[in-house]
C-alpha cells in the first residue's frame, strides 16, 4: 500500500518533501500558505482512507513553506471514526517513504493543567498513550523500523529547543506539557480529567499518539503542538461544545501557523 501510494504521488510531485506536516481540527489553514501547491486528494490514492471529522479536509498539499519543500496533510484520520490504527498511520508512512525526515503535528486539545487558558499553544514534551492500542501491533516491518522502538526522545529535544528560540524571537507565547491520547469520541468525564491530571497529563486529545509512534518507529524527527481549544471537562463547570473547539482553532490557529512556518525555515533538512 505504501509503495503504491508513493508511486502514484511521485508521478504527480516532482520533488522530495523535507518535512511533513499534519494539521489538526480547525488548523488546516496553514496549507493555504504553501507556495506552488500541488494538491492530491486522498480519494485519488488507492487504498487510502478519507477523513470525515468536522474541520478536516482530506488531501495532501505539496509545495514550499519558508524555503523548504513540504507535504502537508489537510485532514487526518481518527480512531473514533472507525479507522484501524494501521490506516491512521498509513499517510505518515507514505510521507516518510517520500523522503520526509521531519514531522510536524498539530492538534486541538482540552487543557487539563489549570494554569492553561483556551487559546494557549502547548509544545508537546511527551505523551501518555491511553488509547488502549498501538499502531505497531502485528508483524513488524523491519524495513520501516525495529520491533521495540525507543520512545525516550520521541519529541525531539533539539527541535523543541529550536522551537522555543523561534517562539521567543517571534513573540509567540508557548507553554509546554504532556499530551494524553484517548479514543473519544465522547469528551471525558470530570473524574477522568482529575485522574489524567494525577497521571501527569497537561492536555487531552483524540489524535496524534498513533502518528507519533509510527513516526518514531521510522526514526523521524518529531515536533508536535496542541492548541488548547477549551478547558477539559469539569474545570469550568460548563458543557464542552465542538463549536468552541473549532472557534478557538480559527482564532488562535494563525499564531500556531506562524510559529510552525518559522521553525520549518530553521530546520537543516
Ligand atoms: N477532550 C478531548 N479532545 C479534545 C478536547 C477535549 O476537551 N478538546 C479538543 N479536543
Amino acid at each position: 500500500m505504501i509503495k503504491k501510494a508513493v508511486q502514484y504521488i511521485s508521478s504527480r510531485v516532482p520533488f522530495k518533501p523535507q518535512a511533513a506536516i499534519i494539521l489538526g481540527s480547525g488548523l488546516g489553514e496553514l496549507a493555504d500558505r504553501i507556495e506552488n501547491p500541488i494538491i492530491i486528494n486522498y480519494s485519488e490514492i488507492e487504498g487510502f482512507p478519507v477523513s470525515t471529522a468536522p474541520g478536516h479536509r482530506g488531501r495532501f498539499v505539496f509545495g514550499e513553506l519558508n524555503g523548504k519543500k513540504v507535504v502537508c496533510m489537510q485532514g487526518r484520520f481518527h480512531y473514533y471514526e472507525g479507522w484501524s490504527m494501521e490506516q491512521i498511520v498509513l499517510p505518515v508512512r507514505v510521507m516518510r517513504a517520500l523522503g520526509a525526515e521531519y514531522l510536524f503535528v498539530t492538534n486541538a486539545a482540552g487543557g487539563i493543567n489549570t494554569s492553561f487558558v483556551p487559546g494557549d499553544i502547548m509544545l508537546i514534551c511527551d505523551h501518555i498513550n491511553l488509547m488502549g492500542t498501538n499502531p505497531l501491533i502485528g508483524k513488524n516491518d523491519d524495513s520501516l523500523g525495529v520491533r521495540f522502538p525507543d520512545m525516550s526522545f520521541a519529541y525531539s529535544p533539539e527541535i523543541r529547543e529550536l522551537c522555543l528560540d523561534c517562539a521567543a524571537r517571534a513573540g509567540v507565547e508557548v507553554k509546554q506539557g504532556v499530551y494524553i491520547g484517548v479514543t473519544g469520541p465522547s469528551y471525558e468525564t470530570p473524574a477522568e480529567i482529575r485522574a489524567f491530571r494525577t497521571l501527569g497529563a497537561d492536555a487531552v486529545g483524540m489524535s496524534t499518539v498513533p502518528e507519533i509512534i509510527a513516526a518514531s518507529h521510522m526514526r523521524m524527527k518529531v515536533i508536535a503542538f496542541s492548541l488548547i481549544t477549551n478547558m477539559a471537562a469539569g474545570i469550568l463547570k460548563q458543557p464542552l461544545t465542538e463549536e468552541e473547539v473549532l472557534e478557538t482553532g480559527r482564532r488562535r490557529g494563525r499564531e500556531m501557523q506562524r510559529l510552525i512556518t518559522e521553525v520549518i525555515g530553521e530546520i537543516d533538512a
Side-chain angles (χ1 to χ4, degrees), residues 108-111 182 187-188 204-206 229-233 240 245:
V182 294
Y187 287 121
E188 302 69 38
V204 57
M206 305 173 192
T229 50
N230 58 281
M231 291 313 289
L240 267 52
V245 170

Side-chain angles (χ1 to χ4, degrees), residues 133-153:
T133 184
N134 187 299
L136 306 182
I137 289 174
K139 191 173 174 328
N140 187 58
D141 183 340
D142 296 330
S143 70
L144 297 180
V146 297
R147 171 76 290 188
F148 301 107
D150 177 40
M151 294 290 290
S152 310
F153 308 102

Side-chain angles (χ1 to χ4, degrees), residues 126-131 155 178-182 196 199-201 209:
D126 206 344
H127 77 220
I128 297 171
N129 177 10
L130 213 75
M131 292 182 131
Y155 297 85
V178 172
Y179 177 90
I180 188 162
V182 294
F196 295 171
L199 289 177
V209 163

Side-chain angles (χ1 to χ4, degrees), residues 96-113:
R96 175 63 164 148
L98 287 167
E101 287 178 28
Y102 289 83
L103 178 67
F104 289 71
V105 179
T106 68
N107 62 50
I112 294 178
N113 185 322

